[in-house]
Amino acid sequence: MLLEIRNLHVTYGNVKALHGIDLTVEQGEIVTILGANGAGKSTTLMSISGLVKAAQGTISYKDKELTTLRAHNIVKQGISQVPEGRRIFGTLTVQENLNLGAFTLTDKEKIAKNQEWIFSLFPRLHERRQQLAGTLSGGEQQMLAIARALMGSPELLLLDEPSLGLAPILVKSIFATIREINKSGVTILLVEQNARAALKLADRGYVLEVGRIVLEGKAQDLLENREISKAYLGGAG
């Protein structure tokens, strides 16, 4: 098991965001977490990457407990997060953003190899590498956010709403690239409002409602589930 979450509780002040969730991710999988706004999806990802602290429960990655580690040390374990809303550094160039993504690596050859691979995934970023990141289009900024996370050679990539605010044609392109990244050997945990696209991409899925997992299963089974279809896919069945 690559990632195993057991009985995870997260609290913001007096508000309970997660009520004892259990979740697993196997090496090589794409797993998606679905749910309405405020269900606890982003909180789950931020707990894994150490940006919010667990009140209770365990998060183990390759049998190593993460809840005691600080965020930068979790990145060193091989976990990178692409945050919701991209959060690129707008006043830095594309190249400078990518350089920051490689902060945990010391092997220059490895960094160069990663960058070469990233530019093959996102040729547009290669063209724009000396451009200020803040002047990129929304789609290009999303590409940069993913590319920056990949610069650290993660084994597990946490993606938070990669299609948010993008035109349908760009969403298709981003999802095709996510599949390519996965085929290269990177395991992916994906939070996504576009439930249909996420389930078509994923191997398995979890449905979160108000901080609790209410359904889990193979992505295909969830796609065919009438309740899921009604609640998240805009259909009756």
Side-chain angles (χ1 to χ4, degrees):
M1 188 70 61
L2 188 68
L3 180 78
E4 188 170 20
I5 294 175
R6 289 283 168 247
N7 191 35
L8 181 64
H9 293 255
V10 173
T11 309
Y12 295 112
N14 296 323
V15 180
K16 269 206 158 188
L18 294 177
H19 301 264
I21 68 164
D22 294 339
L23 181 149
T24 61
V25 181
E26 300 270 8
Q27 185 101 35
E29 279 191 309
I30 300 178
V31 175
T32 187
I33 305 173
L34 308 175
N37 281 336
K41 306 184 303 294
S42 294
T43 298
T44 303
L45 293 193
M46 290 194 291
S47 303
I48 297 164
S49 56
L51 297 171
V52 301
K53 285 297 170 196
Q56 196 182 324
T58 60
I59 303 169
S60 64
Y61 175 72
K62 296 201 281 194
D63 296 326
K64 183 167 184 144
E65 180 55 39
L66 297 184
T67 51
T68 55
L69 295 182
R70 295 177 70 170
H72 66 280
N73 286 324
I74 291 172
V75 175
K76 287 177 182 172
Q77 302 303 314
I79 300 174
S80 288
Q81 180 167 352
V82 181
E84 183 183 348
R86 297 150 206 158
R87 306 213 189 150
I88 51 145
F89 299 102
T91 55
L92 300 181
T93 64
V94 167
Q95 185 64 61
E96 287 166 337
N97 270 270
L98 294 177
N99 294 347
L100 285 171
F103 81 97
T104 58
L105 302 182
T106 52
D107 183 342
K108 286 184 177 172
E109 207 175 304
K110 176 96 171 152
I111 293 168
K113 216 171 181 180
N114 283 357
Q115 185 162 291
E116 200 180 312
W117 173 55
I118 282 160
F119 285 151
S120 75
L121 284 173
F122 301 111
R124 188 77 58 82
L125 295 182
H126 184 257
E127 292 164 22
R128 307 243 192 284
R129 62 191 183 280
Q130 297 310 325
Q131 198 170 314
L132 288 181
T135 65
L136 299 176
S137 70
E140 289 163 351
Q141 288 188 16
Q142 186 60 70
M143 290 173 198
L144 179 56
I146 295 170
R148 183 180 60 188
L150 291 175
M151 281 297 291
S153 290
E155 285 181 66
L156 175 63
L157 186 64
L158 310 175
L159 280 166
D160 197 348
E161 304 285 7
S163 78
L164 195 67
L166 300 184
I169 192 159
L170 277 173
V171 173
K172 216 171 179 179
S173 164
I174 290 283
F175 273 77
T177 306
I178 293 168
R179 190 182 294 282
E180 280 305 306
I181 292 164
N182 178 245
K183 279 182 184 167
S184 80
V186 181
T187 304
I188 291 169
L189 183 56
L190 168 70
V191 158
E192 181 53 62
Q193 285 277 325
N194 187 336
R196 192 182 301 277
L199 288 171
K200 282 182 175 172
L201 183 72
D203 300 295
R204 292 187 302 113
Y206 291 85
V207 180
L208 265 179
E209 279 181 14
V210 208
R212 289 184 173 85
I213 288 170
V214 293
L215 210 54
E216 62 182 275
K218 289 181 179 171
Q220 190 57 40
D221 294 343
L222 294 177
L223 259 177
E224 292 163 6
N225 181 298
R226 288 177 69 86
E227 283 176 46
I228 297 285
S229 183
K230 207 170 174 183
Y232 303 108
L233 307 179

